[in-house]
Amino acid sequence: RLKALNRLQVILQHLKMSKQTDSTAEVLLEKKGGAGIITLNRPKALNALNLSMIQQIYPQIKTWEQDPETFLIIIKGTGGKAFCAGGDIRAITEAGKVGHKLTQDFFRGEYRLNNAVGTCKKPYVALIDGITMGGGVGVSIHGHFRVATEKTVFAMPETAIGLFPDVGGGYFLPRLSGKIGYYLALTGCRLKGRDVLKAGIATHFVESEKLPALEKDLIALKSPSKEKIADLLNSYHMKCTVDQEKEFVLDEHMEKINSLFSANSMEEIVKKLKQDGSPFAMKQLETINKMSPTSLKLTLRQLREGASMSLQEVLRMEYRLSQACMKGHDFYEGVRAVLIDKDQSPKWKPAALEEVSDEFVDNCFKPLGNDDLKL
């Protein structure tokens, strides 16, 4: 009997006409008042983005952008733990091993979505409550407003899995104050709570439990301008006293970060860290020594070049890099060590920075002709 009941439930689930409100859908797209609301709905996977989610969100943003009755777009995650912990790395790894075109389709789709967020004509509000990493940063950072909470954990941890801080990292990271972006990109350092605001990643800070009220107030705004939305976010932000007195976690290290991470090459950064010898420098050295040497070199160049590029140019460059990583060794080895076997001891090839030649790095940045990303 139970089986029959379960089967009936499954059939009923399939019969639900509206994908929008189907609670099993991986992404919920709904219109409330003047707001288009995107809800990432894979709580068990920490709302990691897969290709089908990307393919649903992209056209919806484009539709809302053209709709005179939609005044703003809100994006959030379900489950209380994560806004979005990244892209669906496992699926990409499996695809890459068998030469499946998901390794092209995923990055192409994801970067087009990042660009849609970055060029969105309607005010775009990301409620980055909980873990916000990698792909989750890509669907939030390029929008007008990013609201962090005491539960927010930000990181771009890609160098640890043989990748690089993509999704437009080459655009926003070098634009953070001083060399913070270089430091975050190379070490994968995590920022929490109010520090995400202080680093310039979030635009506002609100208690997690106030988000439903904030969302309600945003939805209730009558044909709001960007200024009106900003005013509402500011009023919530001003009332929030959580960790107000706390100093920015990187404050005491900023001078060191700015000098140590301003070097022109990875080898030079490592040399500066060794010469500095302070506990902070030694800790960064230890972290960097665990990362993929190839990833470190690609990342440093990505940020240095991205600093003077448009978002579109950066995404095109990053697409080239993504395809180079898919053809390489370190990405598969990094995912194995960190996410699959979890032994945390990847065997990088090449194993040392000195062995990653300039020629190899140059090749990763070369145009792909007809296969280049079109935005």
Side-chain angles (χ1 to χ4, degrees):
R1 262 205 64 154
L2 245 175
K3 264 192 179 155
L5 249 174
N6 282 343
R7 263 208 307 274
L8 182 65
Q9 272 173 329
V10 168
I11 293 164
L12 284 172
Q13 236 21 128
H14 281 292
L15 287 176
K16 273 195 185 166
M17 290 318 285
S18 162
K19 185 119 187 233
Q20 265 60 6
T21 53
D22 179 350
S23 60
T24 59
E26 297 173 317
V27 57
L28 311 174
L29 304 163
E30 50 195 331
K31 186 76 192 298
K32 287 187 183 169
I37 299 171
I38 302 163
T39 308
L40 308 175
N41 191 34
R42 292 180 74 205
K44 287 197 177 80
L46 298 177
N47 298 324
L49 281 180
N50 60 28
L51 185 58
S52 93
M53 293 162 79
I54 289 166
Q55 287 170 338
Q56 291 172 68
I57 298 168
Y58 177 82
Q60 187 63 74
I61 289 179
K62 290 295 182 195
T63 305
W64 281 333
E65 214 174 5
Q66 300 304 317
D67 174 26
E69 299 298 302
T70 304
F71 300 101
L72 76 153
I73 296 172
I74 298 170
I75 185 167
K76 59 180 182 167
T78 51
K81 276 173 94 168
F83 163 66
C84 170
D88 196 346
I89 294 293
R90 279 170 182 254
I92 299 164
T93 311
E94 293 312 313
K97 285 180 187 161
V98 295
H100 188 281
K101 70 182 190 44
L102 179 70
T103 52
Q104 295 154 17
D105 296 346
F106 180 84
F107 291 103
R108 196 174 273 139
E110 185 178 30
Y111 298 174
R112 282 181 69 203
L113 175 56
N114 301 149
N115 187 52
V117 172
T119 56
C120 189
K121 292 181 184 69
K122 300 283 164 85
Y124 184 98
V125 183
L127 305 177
I128 53 171
D129 189 29
I131 299 164
T132 304
M133 297 184 185
V137 177
V139 292
S140 55
I141 191 92
H142 305 297
H144 305 99
F145 304 108
R146 286 92 58 193
V147 182
T149 75
E150 72 281 7
K151 290 189 194 165
T152 304
V153 182
F154 163 93
M156 293 299 278
E158 289 80 3
T159 54
I161 55 164
L163 211 53
F164 58 96
D166 64 337
V167 299
Y171 182 78
F172 80 85
L173 288 162
R175 285 167 172 79
L176 297 176
S177 70
K179 292 290 172 188
I180 287 182
Y182 291 79
Y183 166 70
L184 294 174
L186 297 167
T187 64
C189 163
R190 295 179 169 203
L191 293 175
K192 297 183 176 136
R194 216 176 256 273
D195 289 332
V196 178
L197 173 81
K198 290 179 176 160
I201 289 142
T203 56
H204 295 82
F205 186 81
V206 173
E207 284 106 322
S208 181
E209 59 176 39
K210 295 278 197 309
L211 288 183
L214 170 61
E215 191 185 327
K216 230 170 112 180
D217 285 348
L218 282 168
I219 292 166
L221 287 172
K222 293 278 172 271
S223 53
S225 59
K226 197 169 154 193
E227 288 69 36
K228 260 196 196 160
I229 292 164
D231 289 344
L232 178 62
L233 292 170
N234 289 339
S235 72
Y236 270 81
H237 173 82
M238 297 311 282
K239 285 185 204 130
C240 179
T241 53
V242 179
D243 295 335
Q244 223 171 9
E245 308 308 309
K246 249 175 65 183
E247 215 181 85
F248 179 36
V249 69
L250 296 177
D251 254 358
E252 53 175 320
H253 307 300
M254 266 330 290
E255 215 173 303
K256 281 202 190 308
I257 287 172
N258 290 341
S259 75
L260 298 169
F261 287 87
S262 62
N264 296 335
S265 71
M266 269 321 298
E267 287 89 343
E268 213 179 316
I269 289 176
V270 166
K271 197 172 126 192
K272 281 184 150 193
L273 288 167
K274 282 180 181 159
Q275 281 169 346
D276 183 279
S278 66
F280 175 75
M282 294 335 281
K283 198 172 152 227
Q284 304 324 310
L285 188 62
E286 196 187 326
T287 301
I288 281 173
N289 282 334
K290 291 183 184 139
M291 304 304 189
S292 153
T294 301
S295 289
L296 290 168
K297 286 208 165 172
L298 293 181
T299 299
L300 183 59
R301 175 152 163 199
Q302 170 207 2
L303 266 57
R304 287 172 60 86
E305 296 207 357
S308 57
M309 286 178 165
S310 68
L311 176 60
Q312 290 70 35
E313 290 168 329
V314 165
L315 291 167
R316 264 195 290 278
M317 163 178 76
E318 291 180 357
Y319 182 72
R320 292 165 187 171
L321 293 180
S322 76
Q323 296 312 295
C325 290
M326 292 303 108
K327 290 187 181 79
H329 164 273
D330 280 7
F331 171 65
Y332 302 99
E333 175 56 15
V335 171
R336 179 205 66 73
V338 175
L339 299 174
I340 297 170
D341 299 341
K342 299 192 167 117
D343 57 28
Q344 311 300 330
S345 53
K347 306 279 177 282
W348 305 123
K349 282 183 195 164
L353 284 168
E354 294 69 33
E355 294 164 28
V356 183
S357 71
D358 290 347
E359 188 188 6
F360 172 81
V361 173
D362 287 343
N363 275 330
C364 295
F365 282 83
K366 283 206 171 121
L368 300 173
N370 284 336
D371 291 333
D372 257 333
L373 177 66
K374 292 165 191 66
L375 294 167

